[in-house]
Amino acid sequence: MTREVRESGGGWWCAGVRWPGEVPELGWSRGGRRRVSVLAYGAGLGFRAVGERHCVGARGNVCPLGAVVPGRSTGGRCAECARLDRAHSVAADTMADDPRTYRVYLAWFGPGLVKVGITGEERGAARLREQGAVAFSWLGRGPLMAARRTEEVLRAALGVPDRIPYARKRVERGHLPGTDERAAEVAELYARAAALEGRGWPESLERLPLEVVDQVGIFGLDRAPEPEPEPEPVPLPASGPVRAVRELVDGGVVAGRLVAAAGPDLHLAVAGGGVVVLDTRLITGWDLAAESGSDVRVPLIDIGGGGVQGGLF
């Protein structure tokens, strides 16, 4: 990312993390142009925010107002662009005649933290990686409205949500059980879902066999970060990711070594052996300048605690 920021010449905006395959990428945009930089675990990653944060637009179009948006917004859009983006999404239920095939999935994020959702079949597991699903299994495939109907039936019958806040995912990600336990919980939910066939399950949705996919290795969550050798500029505990970036500010620096990534989150090892989580949805719309080394000079928040760590900026 450091090289990409330097080459951008100011004016390239980061579009956040993408998961087209099993390796995370950072997307960049400038007007109608697009580019990506592939991320590698163990590599340095750093930047400094410059100026103000602007709306990223909607559906590939530049915001006509060039609106300034709040630093804590994970959407990165003004109200009008957010409305336009939502209106054309699958979740808005405005695409009933969509001819594509969709899949229903069961996603696991931690003990007792599961959800049901749908995604376009041509996207493969990209949607599951974008959400940071630690493990998942496909449940069925079919037309959009059949997939949507199945999603609603499962939510009501099994008591599982269709959305889970990222903050809860981060809390659970720090203390995951073993592979077998993860797979067993997905399999148990699959069995409960499959038992609903004939009871509200649309006939046009084909059930797929149980096959638990574990993504801990893809995310790099199975590797303990090595401590950074630089002097410690910020007091951070060495027991794993317990702090997250709350927001960027003009002149704020985030720099470290990438040790893991899950969904939009990047886990950065910083000086002193601590790990800070950066939600890349917070960096969209900022002009970024390259930074090297290991330093964090933006407001941080405790993961799960809600308290802000002081003395950082």
Side-chain angles (χ1 to χ4, degrees):
M1 177 177 176
T2 300
R3 178 179 63 83
E4 293 287 343
V5 171
R6 185 179 298 115
E7 290 180 353
S8 71
W12 282 93
W13 287 355
C14 184
V17 171
R18 302 175 181 180
W19 290 91
E22 296 187 352
V23 178
E25 300 177 351
L26 276 178
W28 301 90
S29 65
R30 180 164 63 186
R33 299 174 59 190
R34 302 288 185 271
R35 65 188 298 184
V36 297
S37 52
V38 178
L39 299 178
Y41 299 140
L45 185 155
F47 61 85
R48 172 171 45 86
V50 179
E52 294 179 309
R53 186 187 188 193
H54 291 85
C55 174
V56 297
R59 317 305 293 182
N61 298 307
V62 176
C63 174
L65 303 176
V68 174
V69 295
R72 298 187 192 182
S73 167
T74 54
R77 293 184 173 90
C78 67
E80 181 62 17
C81 287
R83 184 189 65 80
L84 292 173
D85 188 69
R86 174 74 179 179
H88 292 85
S89 71
V90 172
D93 281 336
T94 58
M95 305 165 62
D97 58 347
D98 190 333
R100 295 174 296 176
T101 299
Y102 282 79
R103 288 199 174 201
V104 182
Y105 60 80
L106 303 172
W108 186 93
F109 301 91
L113 205 61
V114 294
K115 62 158 284 186
V116 58
I118 69 172
T119 184
E121 187 169 67
E122 76 280 0
R123 298 201 66 207
R127 181 63 178 150
L128 282 304
R129 292 187 287 268
E130 291 169 357
Q131 296 184 62
V134 176
F136 74 91
S137 177
W138 301 116
L139 179 64
R141 63 186 297 272
L144 172 60
M145 299 314 291
R148 179 66 74 203
R149 172 60 181 165
T150 303
E151 181 185 39
E152 294 172 354
V153 168
L154 294 179
R155 287 207 314 267
L158 304 182
V160 295
D162 63 339
R163 296 184 183 183
I164 296 174
Y166 278 98
R168 291 193 61 192
K169 299 177 186 178
R170 294 185 190 108
V171 171
E172 297 300 331
R173 202 181 297 152
H175 44 84
L176 296 173
T179 305
D180 291 343
E181 295 173 74
R182 300 194 292 264
E185 192 164 347
V186 176
E188 189 273 337
L189 183 63
Y190 176 93
R192 292 171 58 200
L196 295 173
E197 275 194 286
R199 292 186 291 159
W201 184 300
E203 294 183 1
S204 56
L205 191 89
E206 171 193 357
R207 181 157 65 91
L208 296 173
L210 172 67
E211 183 177 352
V212 180
V213 179
D214 196 283
Q215 304 196 114
V216 163
I218 292 174
F219 292 155
L221 299 173
D222 55 348
R223 305 196 326 271
E226 299 176 1
E228 294 293 291
E230 293 89 356
E232 183 178 357
V234 176
L236 292 170
S239 58
V242 295
R243 298 287 190 273
V245 172
R246 185 184 66 181
E247 63 181 313
L248 299 188
V249 291
D250 181 23
V253 172
V254 177
R257 182 167 47 84
L258 182 66
V259 295
D265 291 349
L266 302 181
H267 294 212
L268 300 175
V270 298
V275 175
V276 170
V277 176
L278 169 66
D279 183 342
T280 56
R281 296 176 301 170
L282 295 174
I283 69 178
T284 59
W286 282 98
D287 279 329
L288 303 177
E291 288 283 342
S292 58
S294 180
D295 196 5
V296 179
R297 286 187 279 117
V298 295
L300 301 182
I301 190 169
D302 294 334
I303 294 180
V308 176
Q309 182 176 351
L312 292 175
F313 193 79

